[in-house]
Amino acid sequence: MADSTFDIVSKVDKMEAENAVNQARKEVEQRYDFKGVGASVEWSGEKILLKASTDERVKAVLDVVQSKFIKRGISLKSLDAGEPYPSGKEFRIEIGLKNGIDQEHAKKIGKLIRDEAPKTVKSQIQGDELRVSSKSRDDLQETIRLLKAADLDVDLQFVNFR
């Protein structure tokens, strides 16, 4: 019998992210505590740009954006939010979206699978994702449970279970 496999990926659904940003922009435009502070949320290329007149206000805008991402089912581990920095008369925060698993995290996940998963399970790094294989589907499901319980800095999805 052939090995069963699944892939471990870390991807952000672009449409869900766009919807979350649009909802956050609408809320920031309507909320009374953001009136007159120049608060805004917008896409700038591959990043989300938050602006406001003070350090505290831009952090409040970040909270609104994060809450909208959570409501849309996108993990905050997928967001790479920088620190507020002054730009002219306003403060800004740039948020990047993390797509793919970098080499460092892929090696950490591979080591976790080798050390704690059932012995029949093998993993290999393929670009920005991992392929996990085993003869036993039960062992693969046990590995998925193990990875979900692990405290990793990456939002993981499990796809192509065959």
Side-chain angles (χ1 to χ4, degrees):
M1 186 172 125
D3 282 1
S4 299
T5 63
F6 69 88
D7 294 333
I8 303 173
V9 298
S10 179
K11 291 192 170 35
V12 176
D13 184 0
K14 188 81 167 162
M15 289 307 297
E16 288 294 333
E18 229 169 271
N19 289 339
V21 169
N22 288 336
Q23 286 178 338
R25 183 178 338 104
K26 286 179 185 174
E27 182 171 328
V28 166
E29 287 170 357
Q30 292 175 351
R31 272 182 42 179
Y32 180 75
D33 57 335
F34 289 126
K35 296 285 188 229
V37 295
S40 69
V41 179
E42 60 193 47
W43 282 102
S44 73
E46 285 296 308
K47 295 192 180 278
I48 303 165
L49 187 62
L50 312 179
K51 299 178 190 174
S53 60
T54 65
D55 190 14
E56 293 81 27
R57 286 291 95 199
V58 79
K59 286 181 180 175
V61 173
L62 177 63
D63 285 344
V64 170
V65 170
Q66 288 176 337
S67 72
K68 297 304 177 188
F69 271 83
I70 290 170
K71 283 184 180 174
R72 304 295 304 183
I74 299 173
S75 172
L76 294 183
K77 292 178 182 178
S78 299
L79 298 180
D80 186 18
E83 288 297 311
Y85 62 91
S87 174
K89 292 183 178 180
E90 64 188 10
F91 282 82
R92 295 179 175 195
I93 294 179
E94 285 186 352
I95 302 173
L97 298 177
K98 296 180 189 174
N99 271 319
I101 303 172
D102 63 353
Q103 287 294 323
E104 178 186 331
H105 286 103
K107 288 178 183 176
K108 199 180 291 184
I109 293 167
K111 182 173 178 5
L112 182 68
I113 290 171
R114 275 194 313 279
D115 294 346
E116 298 184 28
K119 295 299 173 204
T120 62
V121 177
K122 304 287 180 233
S123 68
Q124 64 187 66
I125 300 171
Q126 296 181 336
D128 61 352
E129 58 186 46
L130 272 83
R131 165 87 29 102
V132 180
S133 61
S134 174
K135 292 203 182 308
S136 165
R137 294 177 82 95
D138 293 338
D139 288 350
L140 290 179
Q141 289 174 336
E142 182 63 34
T143 304
I144 290 175
R145 275 195 291 280
L146 169 77
L147 290 172
K148 283 183 178 178
D151 184 30
L152 300 168
D153 295 337
V154 183
D155 180 38
L156 301 177
Q157 292 93 30
F158 306 99
V159 295
N160 297 338
F161 194 96
R162 297 186 186 128

